Amino acid sequence: MTTAPTTLAVPAGPVDAPAHRDPNVLRWLGAYTSSAIGDNVYYIALSWAAVQSGTPAQAGLVTAASALPRALLMLGGGVVADRYGPRRTVLASTAARAALVVTAATLLLATSPGLWVLGGVALLFGVVDAVFLPAAGALPARITGRGQLARVQGMRGLVTRLANVLGGPLGGLGVAVGGTAGAFGLAALLVSVSLPLLLTVRVGSLPLDDAQARSGALAELRDGLRHIRRSPVLRPLVLAAALFDLGFVGPMNLGLTVLAQERGWGSAGMGWVLAGFGTGAGAASLLLTWRGRVPRAGAVAGVANLLGAVAIGALAQVTSVAAGTGVALCIGLLAGLAGALCGALVQAAAGPAYVGRVTAASTLVGFGVAPLTFPVVGWAADVWGIGPVFAVCAAVCALGSAVSLGTASLRRAELPR
């Protein structure tokens, strides 16, 4: 397998010091934890405020408003991350996110903003997210050695699961104690806490061979896309990730809600199914955090995606909450393992000067395009039923795994030692 040079000069101790014992990585992890929990609280506060101001359908449009700018601008956000560095970009975009949430809290305290105002806040948050997400995804490659990339992805996955678990209760507590404004204020506080921690995180400098003469933004974007196209690993990896995200996001979000309604599981039953998914994904993250490296990462990710596709199709066929929870646990385990390995492979195969742009391209569908398909998933479920919708989505996921396993360079890809 031939990949671009990815050696990083990391000033914080030995290049391959165990990530879970590296103070620099742990400071980054603390900042990421606070920011991720704040994001969850923000989305709960936004959803609550939107429901209070309009119909459920209108509230859905408000909460989905962030996806459109992410879909349109995220590739440009990758250019920004590579041009100015992921740490600087994360700092600036985190400050902007905190300011937006504080603005929302202030508006709610001063007046009763309508749906247009809330939609505007969500839209601006999505614009900032288009810059923040590629930089946040690129930062781990600049704070640790290449041999620790899988472990860092596992640690990041654990934090994501923790944020999902804690964000709901904290958001509800914020609404109960201080109203919607209080929940927005809590979200702003949590996002802001990450700033001083990020300021203490040290990043490695780019090797001289990877230093680039800067040109226009469009030229840099084209250069990043050429870099992906020419790489025997990145080209199929980005395509496979896009297909899996396209088939996965719809059924495991809106589709799961419709399935719970059709089966009569209720909100409690859906909560158990989501808990099963979160447990499986957390177990996969814990495995990678413990192991640090998985041999034949490309093949393992492809097989995990294929089995995950089968499990997604099977989820629509179960009738009991217990069976749904068990299948969802398998989906979480398989998708969590494949996602973390693919993320590590992206950072290992991308040249250090391209990590932001490659990260943006590999996560564009998951964060930007796939959420826009929710209305299509809902319409298709109404017309054909939830079973066929899950089957089609599972087939799209399986197509992604076919790309992974059918491309020799990706199937044989290994993570650095």
Side-chain angles (χ1 to χ4, degrees):
M1 182 186 69
T2 303
T3 59
T6 52
T7 303
L8 297 179
V10 180
V15 169
D16 281 332
H20 61 291
R21 298 176 184 172
D22 186 341
N24 195 50
V25 173
L26 293 178
R27 288 192 296 270
W28 160 79
L29 192 66
Y32 183 75
T33 301
S34 182
S35 179
I37 296 174
D39 281 355
N40 277 269
V41 174
Y42 158 77
Y43 281 112
I44 288 171
L46 180 68
S47 300
W48 187 265
V51 167
Q52 298 299 308
S53 301
T55 66
Q58 290 171 332
L61 290 174
V62 169
T63 54
S66 295
L68 184 59
R70 286 200 298 262
L72 296 175
L73 302 175
M74 190 175 287
L75 291 178
V79 172
V80 173
D82 285 334
R83 172 173 285 203
Y84 298 105
R87 177 178 174 273
R88 186 184 302 176
T89 305
V90 166
L91 281 167
S93 54
T94 297
R97 283 149 57 93
L100 278 171
V101 183
V102 167
T103 300
T106 304
L107 287 172
L108 283 164
L109 282 174
T111 182
S112 297
L115 286 169
W116 285 106
V117 175
L118 294 173
V121 171
L123 198 67
L124 289 173
F125 201 87
V127 171
V128 179
D129 255 0
V131 177
F132 171 80
L133 291 171
L139 189 55
R142 299 284 294 276
I143 62 173
T144 190
R146 297 179 66 227
Q148 297 298 311
L149 290 176
R151 178 170 278 130
V152 169
Q153 291 298 323
M155 295 165 69
R156 188 181 181 190
L158 279 174
V159 165
T160 300
R161 302 276 78 79
L162 177 66
N164 291 338
V165 170
L166 295 180
L170 284 174
L173 180 63
V175 171
V177 174
T180 312
F184 274 114
L186 177 59
L189 176 63
L190 288 166
V191 173
S192 299
V193 164
S194 67
L195 286 170
L197 288 170
L198 285 170
L199 286 170
T200 67
V201 174
R202 293 170 291 171
V203 298
S205 57
L206 289 176
L208 293 178
D209 290 344
D210 289 296
Q212 294 184 325
R214 294 300 177 193
S215 53
L218 286 178
E220 289 185 39
L221 176 57
R222 288 193 295 267
D223 186 38
L225 294 177
R226 280 196 299 269
H227 179 73
I228 294 171
R229 188 174 64 249
R230 292 170 180 171
S231 169
V233 172
L234 290 176
R235 185 177 62 252
L237 182 56
V238 169
L239 176 59
L243 288 169
F244 192 82
D245 285 342
L246 191 61
F248 175 85
V249 173
M252 293 309 295
N253 287 272
L254 180 64
L256 184 56
T257 303
V258 176
L259 180 64
Q261 290 177 339
E262 286 194 2
R263 296 290 187 268
W265 294 345
S267 59
M270 189 176 72
W272 278 107
V273 175
L274 287 172
F277 173 80
T279 301
S285 298
L286 186 61
L287 172 66
L288 285 176
T289 302
W290 169 57
R291 290 276 302 174
R293 184 178 183 276
V294 174
R296 303 203 63 177
V300 171
V303 171
N305 274 337
L306 179 60
L307 295 175
V310 174
I312 288 172
L315 183 59
Q317 305 305 316
V318 301
T319 57
S320 69
V321 172
T325 302
V327 174
L329 188 146
C330 294
I331 295 173
L333 181 64
L334 295 164
L337 177 62
L341 289 176
C342 288
L345 285 169
V346 162
Q347 296 189 347
Y354 293 92
V355 175
R357 281 164 286 181
V358 175
T359 300
S362 64
T363 58
L364 173 64
V365 171
F367 284 115
V369 177
L372 298 176
T373 66
F374 288 174
V376 178
V377 171
W379 171 80
D382 285 338
V383 175
W384 292 297
I386 197 63
V389 170
F390 268 72
V392 170
C393 290
V396 175
C397 292
L399 185 59
S401 66
V403 171
S404 296
L405 296 174
T407 308
S409 55
L410 178 54
R411 187 175 64 250
R412 297 170 183 164
E414 295 277 8
L415 289 172
R417 294 183 180 274

